[in-house]
């Protein structure tokens, strides 16, 4: 079912926590059916358990191929009727078995304004480049890393005395607001993908506005 989420993590899980909190507070109308980590020491697993959410560790090691690992994940998600996958700090590339099982139904959150600074250490890359603003992007996942249609972005200023750590902390505050909102937009429907663009119908956009009005 569409509003049954599967969240994939590898570590801290603060974005998972943001989704849990948004559901609890009624800002996001969804259910997290399953949290899967590829590492059994991911702190996010404990967050899920504390919220009473089922967890699984499916290590990426020990499979004959990367695709076999993905297929195992698909089996578990399908067994729980998951309709939308949220990557939340999941440090693995998503391969064809997952992409084909969940077309346009996998979301990722990335700590930069894509297409700037894809890949790891996005905040360090932003500082090194000297950009004045960075931010957060939630996008649909495709076969190319950090490159799918963009659902939602938020801008965060980069300050002269920022380090990668201080910028990451400022961006993270926006991540936690942006991810639940983007999931809500995707679950609400009334959107389509045209080329690289994620486009919402006028009625869907006015039902849950996601951007500041022009000129504000
Ligand atoms: C976040 O910065 C997210 O944008 C990136 O990985 C980090 C995960 O953090 N993809 P957390 O595990 O959600 O705390």
């Amino acid at each position: 079912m569409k509003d049954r989420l599967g969240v994939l993590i590898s570590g801290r899980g603060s974005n998972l926590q943001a989704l849990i909190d948004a559901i609890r507070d009624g800002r996001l109308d969804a259910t997290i059916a399953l949290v899967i980590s590829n590492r059994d020491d991911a702190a996010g697993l404990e967050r899920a358990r504390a919220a009473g959410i089922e967890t699984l560790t499916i290590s990426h090691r020990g499979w004959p191929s990367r695709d076999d690992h993905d297929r195992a994940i698909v089996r578990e998600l399908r067994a729980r009727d998951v309709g939308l996958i949220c990557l939340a700090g999941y440090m693995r590339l998503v391969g064809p078995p997952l992409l084909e099982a969940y077309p346009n139904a996998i979301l990722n959150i990335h700590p930069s304004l894509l297409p700037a600074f894809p890949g790891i250490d996005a905040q360090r890359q932003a500082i090194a480049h000297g950009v004045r603003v960075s931010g957060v992007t939630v996008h649909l996942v495709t076969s190319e890393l950090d490159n799918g249609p963009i659902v939602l972005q938020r801008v965060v200023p980069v300050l002269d005395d920022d380090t990668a750590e201080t910028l990451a902390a400022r961006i993270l505050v926006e991540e936690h607001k942006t991810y639940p909102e983007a999931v809500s937009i995707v679950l609400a429907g009334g959107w389509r993908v045209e080329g690289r663009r994620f486009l919402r119908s006028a009625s869907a956009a006015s039902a849950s506005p996601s951007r500041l009005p022009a000129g504000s």
Side-chain angles (χ1 to χ4, degrees):
M1 257 161 47
K2 202 174 73 162
D3 61 355
R4 287 177 64 78
L5 310 181
V7 183
L8 270 51
I9 63 168
S10 298
R12 181 176 58 181
S14 71
N15 278 290
L16 163 66
Q17 188 69 55
L19 294 173
I20 293 171
D21 293 348
I23 291 169
R24 188 199 54 213
D25 299 348
R27 285 176 286 126
L28 174 58
D29 189 9
T31 302
I32 301 178
L34 180 64
V35 171
I36 298 177
S37 172
N38 63 310
R39 300 176 52 111
D40 59 9
D41 60 353
L45 288 171
E46 198 38 56
R47 296 179 188 266
R49 289 186 202 113
I53 297 166
E54 186 187 359
T55 63
L56 274 182
T57 299
I58 306 181
S59 172
H60 53 282
R61 298 181 202 283
W63 299 94
S65 72
R66 182 186 286 273
D67 280 2
D68 287 301
H69 178 237
D70 270 11
R71 275 192 276 271
I73 292 173
V74 167
R75 273 196 298 277
E76 299 297 345
L77 294 170
R78 284 205 164 136
R80 287 153 187 88
D81 220 3
V82 163
L84 182 68
I85 300 174
C86 298
L87 308 184
Y90 182 63
M91 301 301 283
R92 305 286 303 165
L93 282 175
V94 169
L98 262 165
L99 290 167
E100 283 159 21
Y102 286 90
N104 278 344
I106 308 176
L107 289 174
N108 183 44
I109 184 159
H110 184 77
S112 75
L113 293 175
L114 291 172
F117 315 130
I120 57 164
D121 270 343
Q123 303 94 333
R124 200 171 301 280
Q125 293 182 56
I127 302 242
H129 195 92
V131 291
R132 294 293 173 183
V133 293
S134 188
V136 51
T137 302
V138 178
H139 64 93
L140 296 174
V141 173
T142 60
S143 56
E144 277 180 78
L145 178 70
D146 298 333
N147 192 40
I150 292 169
V151 177
L152 200 53
Q153 290 185 303
R154 287 279 151 71
V155 176
V156 172
V158 180
L159 308 180
D160 285 350
D161 59 358
D162 263 334
T163 61
E165 290 71 28
T166 59
L167 177 60
R170 196 175 314 110
I171 291 174
L172 198 60
V173 172
E174 285 307 310
E175 290 189 41
H176 296 163
K177 294 185 227 160
T178 306
Y179 212 179
E181 199 180 331
V183 172
S184 214
I185 287 170
V186 169
L187 291 181
W191 53 269
R192 66 192 187 281
V193 172
E194 271 182 30
R196 288 203 37 82
R197 303 183 75 201
F198 177 96
L199 299 171
R200 301 169 78 195
S201 67
S203 57
S206 63
S208 63
S210 61
R211 291 176 182 81
L212 296 173
S216 66

